[in-house]
Amino acid sequence: MSWKDIVKGEKEYTFYLEQIEKIENMLERIYDDIEKAAVDMTEKTELSLEQARNIIKNIQKDTINRIEETLQEYKDQLEFESSGEGLQ
């Protein structure tokens, strides 16, 4: 394995780590927004906090699912890269 392959592998590994961090931060912000919206909805309606959360999560379900699928893809690719197979 040449040094170019090692550098390329390191760059790809770093890329996937950075993308995973960004996606995890995005998910965290979405869940924070859901919680804030649920609290607001509870104050304005007679719904319980849990009911409000479920309604909002259901509205955001497709977006959350796509983001979580992308996160898993990046984690799988990172595992592949770190196994050494991605360097070949």
Side-chain angles (χ1 to χ4, degrees), residues 2 7 10 21 23 26-27 34 37 44 46 50-52 63 71 77 84 86-87:
S2 73
V7 170
E10 179 67 26
E21 184 177 341
I23 294 169
M26 184 186 311
L27 274 173
I34 288 172
K44 294 179 180 178
E46 305 242 346
E50 190 62 30
Q51 289 173 318
T63 301
L71 177 61
Q77 189 61 36
L87 298 175

Side-chain angles (χ1 to χ4, degrees), residues 21-82:
E21 184 177 341
K22 287 177 185 178
I23 294 169
E24 286 175 339
N25 288 336
M26 184 186 311
L27 274 173
E28 186 176 324
R29 284 191 310 270
I30 288 171
Y31 284 118
D32 287 346
D33 290 347
I34 288 172
E35 188 64 23
K36 289 174 188 174
V39 169
D40 188 47
M41 184 183 283
T42 299
E43 291 172 356
K44 294 179 180 178
T45 66
E46 305 242 346
L47 293 172
S48 70
L49 186 57
E50 190 62 30
Q51 289 173 318
R53 271 191 210 115
N54 289 336
I55 290 169
I56 297 166
K57 281 182 186 177
N58 193 38
I59 293 169
Q60 294 294 328
K61 179 176 58 176
D62 290 338
T63 301
I64 292 169
N65 287 342
R66 275 188 249 124
I67 292 170
E68 288 177 344
E69 287 169 6
T70 302
L71 177 61
Q72 188 58 51
E73 289 173 13
Y74 279 119
K75 286 182 177 182
D76 291 345
Q77 189 61 36
L78 182 66
E79 185 176 326
F80 176 74
E81 292 296 329
S82 65

